[in-house]
Amino acid sequence: MPIGSGARAPCWSPTAADRGLSASLDIRIGWMNSHAMVDPDVTARLAMLAEELRTDEYLDAMAQLWNSDSPAYHGQFVSFADIDAHPRPVQPGGPPVVVGGRSRVTYRRTPRRGHGFYSTGTPENLTRDLAGLRRAAYEVQRPPRIWAVWTSR
């Protein structure tokens, strides 16, 4: 995943699964650029939206690689066919996806594509994140899986 302003590369440790530990894919968009959501500069807001759309497409493409015997994906940012990727994740369906960030798109991504949400900072940030996640859970078609919220200072 390309790293742009406010983006963070996915964190993945394949050796953790090899040692019998739980492994997850950590996706954080907007966690450093929360000001971009209120910045009056249209260019900054459009750049953030493009990163968020690209992230959703990358998640869909990775799911194809993890779960399909003949992976193929054709999107706006990613396109592939006639390839394969090994080793495949140990967990059926791929590793749990933990989402973080502070934007409406991020809050909607969590119940739609994520297995958990990571909130950082103050109790006020956690309150705001939980409110955003509650709203999003009603707005999106939530898959039947359990998701959790983690926090740290």
Side-chain angles (χ1 to χ4, degrees), residues 37-56:
M37 294 295 98
V38 295
D39 189 336
D41 180 16
V42 174
T43 304
R45 285 184 275 145
L46 288 175
M48 182 62 98
L49 178 61
E51 284 183 8
E52 291 174 337
L53 294 173
R54 187 179 303 117
T55 299
D56 283 345

Side-chain angles (χ1 to χ4, degrees), residues 9-31:
C11 299
W12 172 246
S13 173
T15 58
D18 295 340
R19 294 190 314 252
L21 302 174
S22 177
S24 66
L25 180 66
D26 177 11
I27 303 290
R28 299 181 197 181
I29 299 294
W31 68 283

Side-chain angles (χ1 to χ4, degrees), residues 10 30 37 53 58 63 75 95 97 100 110 113 117-118 123 130 137:
M37 294 295 98
L53 294 173
Y58 288 166
V97 175
T110 301
R113 288 189 166 89
F117 182 82
Y118 190 73
L130 290 173

Side-chain angles (χ1 to χ4, degrees), residues 49-71:
L49 178 61
E51 284 183 8
E52 291 174 337
L53 294 173
R54 187 179 303 117
T55 299
D56 283 345
E57 190 169 300
Y58 288 166
L59 288 171
D60 292 341
M62 285 187 285
Q64 278 294 309
L65 290 170
W66 294 334
N67 299 305
S68 177
D69 291 332
S70 300

Side-chain angles (χ1 to χ4, degrees), residues 70-115:
S70 300
Y73 186 87
H74 301 286
Q76 182 179 354
F77 302 101
V78 178
S79 185
F80 58 82
D82 300 320
I83 66 167
D84 211 347
H86 291 279
R88 301 216 180 210
V90 175
Q91 297 106 320
V97 175
V98 179
V99 180
R102 290 205 169 86
S103 72
R104 187 166 184 256
V105 174
T106 299
Y107 294 144
R108 291 169 57 92
R109 180 181 296 124
T110 301
R112 196 180 40 194
R113 288 189 166 89
H115 299 86

